[in-house]
């Protein structure tokens, strides 16, 4: 069995879908690795280190993909990035983050190659899939990095400092959206000495916020009772909820030094949480980090890949934040893939034995036999 790892071709992508550790683990299951030269450089994995772990380094993506059983990528192949879709065929199984729900046309093109494709971002949120969850592993690092990005832009320190010249009060940090990224942002900001508050439509997150030393800002406890899907994702809330949220947040945000927004709804544009009026009310020198800018942004003033200033407030809209901490992000992403692939292999015959009825397989399978098959893309599921 052969695994191919092509180099990522999107300009903002420094991660790689394999690490020296993942190569060793999957090699023990019976896989050989062909990795395109330079694929790991952005994540500080040299060709020599990957070769030492057991991989063959090949000249280009085509040489890696040809004859492979499985192709591992961080981001799905797209023509616009320079990926050659003609290199893929029905003999390949592609495992990557495909952004499938927002790229129906791209999925049709991918399916036309005959490749069997799994979208890791669609992994069901069930207990046995937790170790495979790329959204959690990458969001965790994004939440951490967001706090550091804010610190580098903020013109003051996070912790309270008592000096001979006087006392510096602690910075006030407000986290909007308490998923994995938000929880890590809370923990990181607290460790750095900030006063942290947070809000989320899901009331179950209140205890999580408080357990990390933050204070939870409630909007409407009654409406928030039905704000979470069975899979643990946030639901789209009614218009009256957002009106009330604006009122509560507008008053709170006036006193905040840093606001980090993380609120996403799968398959939909990010909800607007920080309006232009709220930005104008914030203190001069305040910082907003919008981690949802790639999905339209929680703040309408955010610009993808840019840091802009408006009314004295810096608004950071970095693209692909996990890639800004590429070494650890690649390590975790590769480990997620190891945990996904391991159950697909028969340990005795060391061959692929995929259970197509398995909940995890059905939840992530996007393309098979030349067709897009995922229910949420074919209109058969919600």
């Amino acid at each position: 069995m052969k695994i191919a790892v092509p180099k990522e071709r999107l300009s903002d992508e420094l991660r790689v879908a394999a690490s020296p550790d993942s190569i060793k683990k999957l090699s023990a299951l019976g896989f050989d690795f062909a990795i395109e030269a330079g694929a790991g450089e952005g994540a500080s994995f040299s060709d020599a280190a990957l070769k030492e772990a057991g991989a063959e380094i090949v000249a280009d993506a085509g040489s890696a993909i040809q004859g492979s059983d499985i192709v591992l990528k961080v981001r799905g192949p797209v023509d616009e990035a320079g990926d050659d879709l003609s290199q893929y065929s029905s003999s390949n199984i592609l495992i990557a983050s495909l952004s499938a729900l927002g790229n129906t046309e791209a999925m049709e093109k991918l399916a036309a190659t005959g490749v069997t494709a799994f979208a890791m971002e669609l992994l069901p949120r069930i207990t046995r899939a937790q170790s495979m969850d790329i959204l959690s592993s990458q969001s965790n690092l994004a939440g951490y990095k967001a706090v550091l990005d804010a610190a580098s832009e903020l013109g003051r320190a996070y912790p309270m400092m008592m000096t001979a010249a006087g006392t510096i009060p602690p910075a006030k940090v407000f986290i909007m959206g308490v998923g994995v990224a938000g929880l890590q942002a809370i923990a990181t900001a607290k460790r750095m000495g900030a006063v942290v508050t947070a809000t989320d439509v899901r009331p179950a997150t209140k205890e999580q916020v408080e357990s990390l030393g933050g204070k939870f800002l409630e909007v409407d406890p009654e409406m928030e009772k039905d704000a979470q899907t069975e899979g643990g994702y946030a639901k789209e809330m009614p218009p009256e909820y957002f009106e009330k949220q604006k009122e509560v947040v507008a008053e709170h945000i006036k006193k905040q030094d840093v606001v980090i927004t993380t609120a996403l709804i799968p398959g939909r544009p990010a909800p607007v949480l920080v309006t232009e009026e709220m930005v104008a009310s914030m203190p001069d020198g305040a910082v907003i980090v919008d981690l949802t800018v790639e999905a339209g942004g929680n703040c309408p003033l955010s610009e993808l890949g840019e840091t802009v200033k408006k009314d004295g407030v810096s608004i950071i809209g970095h693209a692909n934040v996990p890639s800004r901490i590429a070494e650890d992000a690649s390590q975790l992403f590769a480990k997620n893939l190891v945990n996904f692939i391991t159950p697909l292999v028969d340990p005795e015959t060391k061959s692929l034995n995929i259970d197509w009825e398995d909940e995890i397989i059905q939840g992530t399978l996007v393309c098979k036999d030349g067709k897009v098959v995922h229910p949420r893309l074919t209109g058969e599921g919600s």
Side-chain angles (χ1 to χ4, degrees):
M1 298 184 294
K2 176 184 172 184
I3 289 178
V5 182
K7 189 174 183 178
E8 300 295 322
R9 282 172 166 73
L10 288 164
S11 59
D12 65 351
E13 190 54 78
L14 299 177
R15 293 172 294 176
V16 64
S19 67
D21 184 59
S22 75
I23 291 168
K24 291 173 185 175
K25 283 183 166 61
L26 290 173
S27 295
L29 293 178
F31 288 101
D32 295 320
F33 271 82
I35 299 181
E36 183 180 358
E41 287 180 358
S44 303
F45 303 146
S46 66
D47 288 346
L50 297 174
K51 186 175 182 180
E52 186 178 344
E56 177 189 3
I57 306 300
V58 298
D60 51 46
S63 301
I65 295 169
Q66 186 176 13
S68 65
D69 298 282
I70 294 175
V71 181
L72 302 182
K73 285 186 103 284
V74 176
R75 311 268 285 277
V78 288
D79 289 325
E80 295 79 7
D83 290 286
D84 185 355
L85 291 181
S86 68
Q87 294 170 338
Y88 294 84
S89 70
S90 58
S91 64
N92 303 131
I93 294 172
L94 171 66
I95 304 173
S97 175
L98 300 177
S99 300
L101 297 183
N103 289 283
T104 307
E105 186 178 338
M107 294 305 100
E108 294 286 354
K109 286 183 180 180
L110 190 60
T113 69
V115 71
T116 297
F118 292 97
M120 292 298 293
E121 76 276 8
L122 299 181
L123 194 78
R125 289 205 158 176
I126 57 177
T127 301
R128 65 187 174 91
Q130 287 179 350
S131 64
M132 313 170 190
D133 190 349
I134 63 164
L135 295 182
S136 290
S137 71
Q138 304 304 291
S139 295
N140 189 53
L141 291 170
Y144 163 80
K145 187 64 172 171
V147 176
L148 301 189
D149 286 340
S152 69
E153 191 71 27
L154 188 66
R156 53 177 305 187
Y158 276 4
M160 180 176 73
M161 293 186 181
M162 301 179 72
T163 76
T167 299
I168 298 172
K172 295 175 181 175
V173 177
F174 181 37
I175 313 297
M176 303 186 73
V178 189
V180 174
L183 289 170
Q184 182 56 249
I186 292 166
T188 302
K190 281 298 294 183
R191 283 196 298 268
M192 294 178 71
V195 173
V196 182
T197 52
T199 189
D200 195 286
V201 298
R202 297 164 295 174
T205 60
K206 180 179 179 181
E207 290 184 13
Q208 296 172 311
V209 169
E210 292 173 346
S211 72
L212 293 170
K215 183 178 179 182
F216 191 76
L217 183 70
E218 287 183 314
V219 175
D220 188 318
E222 194 61 34
M223 275 197 274
E224 289 166 351
K225 286 180 181 177
D226 190 36
Q228 183 169 309
T229 67
E230 290 182 8
Y233 293 101
K235 284 185 181 178
E236 189 165 25
M237 300 295 282
E240 57 267 29
Y241 177 85
F242 288 111
E243 286 305 312
K244 188 162 186 180
Q245 184 186 52
K246 282 179 186 176
E247 293 175 16
V248 174
V249 169
E251 192 58 37
H252 186 68
I253 213 167
K254 292 177 182 177
K255 305 163 190 158
Q256 303 305 304
D257 300 298
V258 171
V259 175
I260 297 173
T261 68
T262 73
L264 286 167
I265 300 168
R268 296 178 182 270
V272 173
L273 302 182
V274 182
T275 65
E276 294 185 39
E277 292 77 16
M278 292 178 192
V279 173
S281 75
M282 293 178 71
D284 284 347
V287 177
I288 296 171
V289 182
D290 192 341
L291 286 179
T292 72
V293 66
E294 289 167 296
N298 292 145
C299 177
L301 296 174
S302 304
E303 293 185 19
L304 182 61
E306 303 289 339
T307 297
V308 296
K309 273 211 168 184
K310 183 73 173 177
D311 296 315
V313 178
S314 297
I315 306 165
I316 300 173
H318 290 310
N320 194 3
V321 174
S323 183
R324 291 168 52 77
I325 187 166
E327 185 174 348
D328 279 344
S330 298
Q331 291 275 16
L332 294 180
F333 192 97
K335 186 64 182 292
N336 292 145
L337 298 186
V338 169
N339 293 332
F340 181 79
I341 293 168
T342 299
L344 311 184
V345 179
D346 186 318
E348 293 184 6
T349 63
K350 294 202 170 182
S351 61
L352 287 171
N353 183 20
I354 300 174
D355 178 4
W356 298 102
E357 299 302 313
D358 183 85
E359 184 179 0
I360 291 173
I361 296 300
Q362 292 189 342
T364 53
L365 181 64
V366 171
C367 306
K368 191 173 188 286
D369 299 327
K371 297 178 181 178
V372 173
V373 298
H374 198 281
R376 293 178 71 181
L377 292 170
T378 60
E380 298 171 17
S382 57

